[in-house]
Amino acid sequence: MADSAQSRLEQVNGAIALAEKEAGRMKGAAQLIAVSKTFAAEDIRPVLLAGQRVFGENKVQEAMKKWDELRAEFSGVELHLIGPLQSNKAKEAVATFDVIHSVDREKIARALKTEMDKQSKSPKLFIQVNTGEEEQKAGIAPKETAAFISFCRDELGLDIAGLMCIPPVDEAPGMHFALLEKIARENDLPLLSMGMSADYPIAIQHGATHVRVGSAIFGARDYA
Ligand SMILES: *Cc1c(COP(=O)(O)O)cnc(C)c1O
């Protein structure tokens, strides 16, 4: 029991509350997204039973398969797409997710706008910023972010809620969180999706409103 998903969830919630307090922020200022990617419905169920309702997945197809079933069992689930999105999956993404964290180019923004209008649904949208300007990583470059936000808002009429980043694995995350916070402030965006298992308390110091925590709750992932 000591090492169950429920007890790890409790520990993470405790660490979030402590980080909020130490940062002088309100309790509940940072929302926990439990990242359940690669885990099966039977692994997720105990975390739902423990009361968690906000979950993150990185693949549209995988999420639909698991969450159709789990949503039928549990009410009030809020599902976040945190992985890269292809425009040919925009339809499923809009149908399945309440929040999309990975808007990072015009084609995706247009495809989402089309589907949101068609389905009369408006998932909350975050723009992913590649703060480390890593070639292999998704996200828009920091210096192009302001123009992209304007494009989404003014040309497409999309309501952008905030920004998301994944810092480079080999760098201290604090400066990336600070950069994301600065870009959000300059563009009047209230929400910040940043911080994972290894660094969510640091992200909360820097103003994270959403932390995406997977392995600290579910254990190590098996990608086999
Ligand atoms: C997998 C993933 C997470 C969670 O990572 P952990 O290190 O397991 O907490 C957070 N954000 C994104 C975008 C991810 O893909």
Side-chain angles (χ1 to χ4, degrees), residues 181-206:
E181 191 278 330
K182 175 174 174 279
I183 301 171
R185 188 164 20 88
E186 287 168 354
N187 291 280
D188 285 322
L189 292 173
L191 302 183
L192 289 169
S193 165
M194 57 190 197
M196 314 191 347
S197 291
D199 55 22
Y200 64 93
I202 302 170
I204 291 170
Q205 276 174 22
H206 286 279

PDB file of all heavy atoms in Angstrom, residues 181-206:
ATOM      1  N   GLU A 181       7.109  32.126 -18.452  1.00  0.00           N
ATOM      2  CA  GLU A 181       6.305  33.056 -17.643  1.00  0.00           C
ATOM      3  C   GLU A 181       6.371  34.462 -18.227  1.00  0.00           C
ATOM      4  O   GLU A 181       5.372  35.182 -18.300  1.00  0.00           O
ATOM      5  CB  GLU A 181       6.808  33.031 -16.187  1.00  0.00           C
ATOM      6  CG  GLU A 181       5.917  33.749 -15.183  1.00  0.00           C
ATOM      7  CD  GLU A 181       6.105  35.244 -15.131  1.00  0.00           C
ATOM      8  OE1 GLU A 181       7.230  35.738 -15.389  1.00  0.00           O
ATOM      9  OE2 GLU A 181       5.114  35.954 -14.858  1.00  0.00           O
ATOM     10  N   LYS A 182       7.561  34.856 -18.668  1.00  0.00           N
ATOM     11  CA  LYS A 182       7.759  36.203 -19.232  1.00  0.00           C
ATOM     12  C   LYS A 182       6.967  36.368 -20.533  1.00  0.00           C
ATOM     13  O   LYS A 182       6.278  37.381 -20.727  1.00  0.00           O
ATOM     14  CB  LYS A 182       9.259  36.423 -19.477  1.00  0.00           C
ATOM     15  CG  LYS A 182       9.613  37.733 -20.163  1.00  0.00           C
ATOM     16  CD  LYS A 182      11.137  37.892 -20.219  1.00  0.00           C
ATOM     17  CE  LYS A 182      11.559  39.112 -21.017  1.00  0.00           C
ATOM     18  NZ  LYS A 182      11.550  38.856 -22.483  1.00  0.00           N
ATOM     19  N   ILE A 183       7.048  35.379 -21.402  1.00  0.00           N
ATOM     20  CA  ILE A 183       6.317  35.476 -22.681  1.00  0.00           C
ATOM     21  C   ILE A 183       4.808  35.512 -22.422  1.00  0.00           C
ATOM     22  O   ILE A 183       4.063  36.269 -23.052  1.00  0.00           O
ATOM     23  CB  ILE A 183       6.680  34.308 -23.629  1.00  0.00           C
ATOM     24  CG1 ILE A 183       8.178  34.300 -23.932  1.00  0.00           C
ATOM     25  CG2 ILE A 183       5.893  34.408 -24.935  1.00  0.00           C
ATOM     26  CD1 ILE A 183       8.647  33.046 -24.690  1.00  0.00           C
ATOM     27  N   ALA A 184       4.360  34.722 -21.454  1.00  0.00           N
ATOM     28  CA  ALA A 184       2.928  34.711 -21.127  1.00  0.00           C
ATOM     29  C   ALA A 184       2.481  36.076 -20.594  1.00  0.00           C
ATOM     30  O   ALA A 184       1.438  36.599 -21.008  1.00  0.00           O
ATOM     31  CB  ALA A 184       2.639  33.618 -20.099  1.00  0.00           C
ATOM     32  N   ARG A 185       3.302  36.635 -19.716  1.00  0.00           N
ATOM     33  CA  ARG A 185       2.959  37.943 -19.138  1.00  0.00           C
ATOM     34  C   ARG A 185       2.900  39.014 -20.218  1.00  0.00           C
ATOM     35  O   ARG A 185       1.964  39.810 -20.295  1.00  0.00           O
ATOM     36  CB  ARG A 185       3.989  38.295 -18.059  1.00  0.00           C
ATOM     37  CG  ARG A 185       3.678  39.520 -17.250  1.00  0.00           C
ATOM     38  CD  ARG A 185       4.501  39.616 -15.941  1.00  0.00           C
ATOM     39  NE  ARG A 185       5.716  38.827 -15.904  1.00  0.00           N
ATOM     40  CZ  ARG A 185       6.923  39.260 -16.339  1.00  0.00           C
ATOM     41  NH1 ARG A 185       7.055  40.456 -16.880  1.00  0.00           N
ATOM     42  NH2 ARG A 185       7.986  38.466 -16.229  1.00  0.00           N
ATOM     43  N   GLU A 186       3.876  39.017 -21.114  1.00  0.00           N
ATOM     44  CA  GLU A 186       3.927  40.022 -22.185  1.00  0.00           C
ATOM     45  C   GLU A 186       2.730  39.920 -23.121  1.00  0.00           C
ATOM     46  O   GLU A 186       2.398  40.881 -23.814  1.00  0.00           O
ATOM     47  CB  GLU A 186       5.217  39.845 -22.999  1.00  0.00           C
ATOM     48  CG  GLU A 186       6.456  40.299 -22.256  1.00  0.00           C
ATOM     49  CD  GLU A 186       7.771  39.864 -22.930  1.00  0.00           C
ATOM     50  OE1 GLU A 186       7.729  39.105 -23.927  1.00  0.00           O
ATOM     51  OE2 GLU A 186       8.830  40.278 -22.441  1.00  0.00           O
ATOM     52  N   ASN A 187       2.126  38.736 -23.176  1.00  0.00           N
ATOM     53  CA  ASN A 187       1.009  38.536 -24.098  1.00  0.00           C
ATOM     54  C   ASN A 187      -0.336  38.343 -23.389  1.00  0.00           C
ATOM     55  O   ASN A 187      -1.293  37.845 -23.987  1.00  0.00           O
ATOM     56  CB  ASN A 187       1.309  37.334 -25.006  1.00  0.00           C
ATOM     57  CG  ASN A 187       2.439  37.630 -25.988  1.00  0.00           C
ATOM     58  OD1 ASN A 187       2.218  38.275 -27.003  1.00  0.00           O
ATOM     59  ND2 ASN A 187       3.649  37.196 -25.655  1.00  0.00           N
ATOM     60  N   ASP A 188      -0.379  38.747 -22.108  1.00  0.00           N
ATOM     61  CA  ASP A 188      -1.626  38.663 -21.340  1.00  0.00           C
ATOM     62  C   ASP A 188      -2.240  37.281 -21.296  1.00  0.00           C
ATOM     63  O   ASP A 188      -3.457  37.132 -21.428  1.00  0.00           O
ATOM     64  CB  ASP A 188      -2.683  39.633 -21.908  1.00  0.00           C
ATOM     65  CG  ASP A 188      -2.369  41.059 -21.516  1.00  0.00           C
ATOM     66  OD1 ASP A 188      -1.915  41.256 -20.378  1.00  0.00           O
ATOM     67  OD2 ASP A 188      -2.566  41.956 -22.364  1.00  0.00           O
ATOM     68  N   LEU A 189      -1.409  36.265 -21.144  1.00  0.00           N
ATOM     69  CA  LEU A 189      -1.918  34.901 -21.044  1.00  0.00           C
ATOM     70  C   LEU A 189      -1.817  34.439 -19.592  1.00  0.00           C
ATOM     71  O   LEU A 189      -0.733  34.428 -19.016  1.00  0.00           O
ATOM     72  CB  LEU A 189      -1.120  33.961 -21.957  1.00  0.00           C
ATOM     73  CG  LEU A 189      -1.300  34.200 -23.457  1.00  0.00           C
ATOM     74  CD1 LEU A 189      -0.344  33.327 -24.253  1.00  0.00           C
ATOM     75  CD2 LEU A 189      -2.739  33.910 -23.870  1.00  0.00           C
ATOM     76  N   PRO A 190      -2.932  34.059 -18.979  1.00  0.00           N
ATOM     77  CA  PRO A 190      -2.937  33.761 -17.545  1.00  0.00           C
ATOM     78  C   PRO A 190      -2.418  32.371 -17.152  1.00  0.00           C
ATOM     79  O   PRO A 190      -2.030  32.179 -16.004  1.00  0.00           O
ATOM     80  CB  PRO A 190      -4.413  33.888 -17.157  1.00  0.00           C
ATOM     81  CG  PRO A 190      -5.165  33.606 -18.420  1.00  0.00           C
ATOM     82  CD  PRO A 190      -4.291  34.080 -19.556  1.00  0.00           C
ATOM     83  N   LEU A 191      -2.396  31.404 -18.076  1.00  0.00           N
ATOM     84  CA  LEU A 191      -2.099  30.034 -17.660  1.00  0.00           C
ATOM     85  C   LEU A 191      -0.741  29.539 -18.148  1.00  0.00           C
ATOM     86  O   LEU A 191      -0.309  29.845 -19.253  1.00  0.00           O
ATOM     87  CB  LEU A 191      -3.202  29.085 -18.149  1.00  0.00           C
ATOM     88  CG  LEU A 191      -4.621  29.414 -17.670  1.00  0.00           C
ATOM     89  CD1 LEU A 191      -5.610  28.356 -18.150  1.00  0.00           C
ATOM     90  CD2 LEU A 191      -4.690  29.557 -16.159  1.00  0.00           C
ATOM     91  N   LEU A 192      -0.082  28.757 -17.289  1.00  0.00           N
ATOM     92  CA  LEU A 192       1.246  28.208 -17.590  1.00  0.00           C
ATOM     93  C   LEU A 192       1.269  26.723 -17.310  1.00  0.00           C
ATOM     94  O   LEU A 192       1.154  26.293 -16.161  1.00  0.00           O
ATOM     95  CB  LEU A 192       2.298  28.890 -16.713  1.00  0.00           C
ATOM     96  CG  LEU A 192       2.634  30.343 -17.030  1.00  0.00           C
ATOM     97  CD1 LEU A 192       3.473  30.946 -15.905  1.00  0.00           C
ATOM     98  CD2 LEU A 192       3.386  30.435 -18.353  1.00  0.00           C
ATOM     99  N   SER A 193       1.444  25.917 -18.369  1.00  0.00           N
ATOM    100  CA  SER A 193       1.555  24.466 -18.233  1.00  0.00           C
ATOM    101  C   SER A 193       3.031  24.108 -18.256  1.00  0.00           C
ATOM    102  O   SER A 193       3.662  24.092 -19.312  1.00  0.00           O
ATOM    103  CB  SER A 193       0.809  23.796 -19.393  1.00  0.00           C
ATOM    104  OG  SER A 193       1.161  22.434 -19.497  1.00  0.00           O
ATOM    105  N   MET A 194       3.593  23.855 -17.081  1.00  0.00           N
ATOM    106  CA  MET A 194       5.031  23.547 -17.010  1.00  0.00           C
ATOM    107  C   MET A 194       5.332  22.814 -15.715  1.00  0.00           C
ATOM    108  O   MET A 194       4.697  23.041 -14.690  1.00  0.00           O
ATOM    109  CB  MET A 194       5.861  24.826 -17.148  1.00  0.00           C
ATOM    110  CG  MET A 194       5.567  25.918 -16.135  1.00  0.00           C
ATOM    111  SD  MET A 194       6.388  27.471 -16.595  1.00  0.00           S
ATOM    112  CE  MET A 194       6.311  28.347 -15.005  1.00  0.00           C
ATOM    113  N   GLY A 195       6.330  21.917 -15.798  1.00  0.00           N
ATOM    114  CA  GLY A 195       6.714  21.111 -14.643  1.00  0.00           C
ATOM    115  C   GLY A 195       6.246  19.681 -14.812  1.00  0.00           C
ATOM    116  O   GLY A 195       5.085  19.433 -15.148  1.00  0.00           O
ATOM    117  N   MET A 196       7.190  18.721 -14.640  1.00  0.00           N
ATOM    118  CA  MET A 196       6.903  17.293 -14.726  1.00  0.00           C
ATOM    119  C   MET A 196       7.411  16.646 -13.433  1.00  0.00           C
ATOM    120  O   MET A 196       7.775  17.360 -12.498  1.00  0.00           O
ATOM    121  CB  MET A 196       7.575  16.706 -15.982  1.00  0.00           C
ATOM    122  CG  MET A 196       7.335  17.593 -17.180  1.00  0.00           C
ATOM    123  SD  MET A 196       7.724  17.059 -18.861  1.00  0.00           S
ATOM    124  CE  MET A 196       8.716  15.630 -18.732  1.00  0.00           C
ATOM    125  N   SER A 197       7.459  15.312 -13.402  1.00  0.00           N
ATOM    126  CA  SER A 197       7.814  14.637 -12.138  1.00  0.00           C
ATOM    127  C   SER A 197       9.101  15.168 -11.517  1.00  0.00           C
ATOM    128  O   SER A 197       9.202  15.326 -10.304  1.00  0.00           O
ATOM    129  CB  SER A 197       7.960  13.130 -12.360  1.00  0.00           C
ATOM    130  OG  SER A 197       6.695  12.574 -12.641  1.00  0.00           O
ATOM    131  N   ALA A 198      10.102  15.449 -12.361  1.00  0.00           N
ATOM    132  CA  ALA A 198      11.423  15.814 -11.840  1.00  0.00           C
ATOM    133  C   ALA A 198      11.497  17.266 -11.352  1.00  0.00           C
ATOM    134  O   ALA A 198      12.409  17.610 -10.601  1.00  0.00           O
ATOM    135  CB  ALA A 198      12.483  15.589 -12.921  1.00  0.00           C
ATOM    136  N   ASP A 199      10.575  18.107 -11.786  1.00  0.00           N
ATOM    137  CA  ASP A 199      10.782  19.539 -11.530  1.00  0.00           C
ATOM    138  C   ASP A 199       9.508  20.346 -11.231  1.00  0.00           C
ATOM    139  O   ASP A 199       9.543  21.567 -11.274  1.00  0.00           O
ATOM    140  CB  ASP A 199      11.538  20.158 -12.724  1.00  0.00           C
ATOM    141  CG  ASP A 199      10.841  19.908 -14.053  1.00  0.00           C
ATOM    142  OD1 ASP A 199       9.625  19.644 -14.043  1.00  0.00           O
ATOM    143  OD2 ASP A 199      11.510  19.974 -15.101  1.00  0.00           O
ATOM    144  N   TYR A 200       8.403  19.658 -10.902  1.00  0.00           N
ATOM    145  CA  TYR A 200       7.171  20.448 -10.731  1.00  0.00           C
ATOM    146  C   TYR A 200       7.216  21.445  -9.564  1.00  0.00           C
ATOM    147  O   TYR A 200       6.641  22.533  -9.683  1.00  0.00           O
ATOM    148  CB  TYR A 200       5.916  19.553 -10.682  1.00  0.00           C
ATOM    149  CG  TYR A 200       5.821  18.589  -9.522  1.00  0.00           C
ATOM    150  CD1 TYR A 200       5.149  18.941  -8.355  1.00  0.00           C
ATOM    151  CD2 TYR A 200       6.397  17.323  -9.587  1.00  0.00           C
ATOM    152  CE1 TYR A 200       5.075  18.055  -7.290  1.00  0.00           C
ATOM    153  CE2 TYR A 200       6.321  16.438  -8.529  1.00  0.00           C
ATOM    154  CZ  TYR A 200       5.665  16.811  -7.372  1.00  0.00           C
ATOM    155  OH  TYR A 200       5.583  15.934  -6.316  1.00  0.00           O
ATOM    156  N   PRO A 201       7.948  21.153  -8.448  1.00  0.00           N
ATOM    157  CA  PRO A 201       8.004  22.193  -7.410  1.00  0.00           C
ATOM    158  C   PRO A 201       8.701  23.478  -7.905  1.00  0.00           C
ATOM    159  O   PRO A 201       8.284  24.587  -7.548  1.00  0.00           O
ATOM    160  CB  PRO A 201       8.795  21.533  -6.282  1.00  0.00           C
ATOM    161  CG  PRO A 201       8.579  20.058  -6.485  1.00  0.00           C
ATOM    162  CD  PRO A 201       8.588  19.897  -7.981  1.00  0.00           C
ATOM    163  N   ILE A 202       9.719  23.313  -8.763  1.00  0.00           N
ATOM    164  CA  ILE A 202      10.410  24.489  -9.325  1.00  0.00           C
ATOM    165  C   ILE A 202       9.463  25.251 -10.246  1.00  0.00           C
ATOM    166  O   ILE A 202       9.411  26.482 -10.248  1.00  0.00           O
ATOM    167  CB  ILE A 202      11.680  24.057 -10.105  1.00  0.00           C
ATOM    168  CG1 ILE A 202      12.627  23.271  -9.188  1.00  0.00           C
ATOM    169  CG2 ILE A 202      12.396  25.270 -10.711  1.00  0.00           C
ATOM    170  CD1 ILE A 202      13.789  22.598  -9.926  1.00  0.00           C
ATOM    171  N   ALA A 203       8.686  24.508 -11.042  1.00  0.00           N
ATOM    172  CA  ALA A 203       7.726  25.154 -11.941  1.00  0.00           C
ATOM    173  C   ALA A 203       6.699  25.962 -11.143  1.00  0.00           C
ATOM    174  O   ALA A 203       6.307  27.063 -11.555  1.00  0.00           O
ATOM    175  CB  ALA A 203       7.036  24.100 -12.803  1.00  0.00           C
ATOM    176  N   ILE A 204       6.282  25.433 -10.006  1.00  0.00           N
ATOM    177  CA  ILE A 204       5.298  26.142  -9.176  1.00  0.00           C
ATOM    178  C   ILE A 204       5.896  27.442  -8.616  1.00  0.00           C
ATOM    179  O   ILE A 204       5.224  28.473  -8.580  1.00  0.00           O
ATOM    180  CB  ILE A 204       4.757  25.209  -8.061  1.00  0.00           C
ATOM    181  CG1 ILE A 204       3.895  24.111  -8.708  1.00  0.00           C
ATOM    182  CG2 ILE A 204       3.953  25.995  -7.021  1.00  0.00           C
ATOM    183  CD1 ILE A 204       3.494  22.983  -7.775  1.00  0.00           C
ATOM    184  N   GLN A 205       7.185  27.408  -8.265  1.00  0.00           N
ATOM    185  CA  GLN A 205       7.875  28.650  -7.853  1.00  0.00           C
ATOM    186  C   GLN A 205       7.802  29.700  -8.958  1.00  0.00           C
ATOM    187  O   GLN A 205       7.749  30.898  -8.683  1.00  0.00           O
ATOM    188  CB  GLN A 205       9.367  28.380  -7.625  1.00  0.00           C
ATOM    189  CG  GLN A 205       9.730  27.832  -6.269  1.00  0.00           C
ATOM    190  CD  GLN A 205      11.227  27.464  -6.231  1.00  0.00           C
ATOM    191  OE1 GLN A 205      12.037  27.968  -7.013  1.00  0.00           O
ATOM    192  NE2 GLN A 205      11.563  26.574  -5.307  1.00  0.00           N
ATOM    193  N   HIS A 206       7.841  29.244 -10.204  1.00  0.00           N
ATOM    194  CA  HIS A 206       7.860  30.161 -11.345  1.00  0.00           C
ATOM    195  C   HIS A 206       6.460  30.457 -11.873  1.00  0.00           C
ATOM    196  O   HIS A 206       6.316  31.027 -12.951  1.00  0.00           O
ATOM    197  CB  HIS A 206       8.740  29.600 -12.459  1.00  0.00           C
ATOM    198  CG  HIS A 206      10.207  29.703 -12.165  1.00  0.00           C
ATOM    199  ND1 HIS A 206      10.931  30.852 -12.344  1.00  0.00           N
ATOM    200  CD2 HIS A 206      11.078  28.792 -11.659  1.00  0.00           C
ATOM    201  CE1 HIS A 206      12.196  30.643 -11.988  1.00  0.00           C
ATOM    202  NE2 HIS A 206      12.309  29.405 -11.565  1.00  0.00           N
TER     203      HIS A 206
END
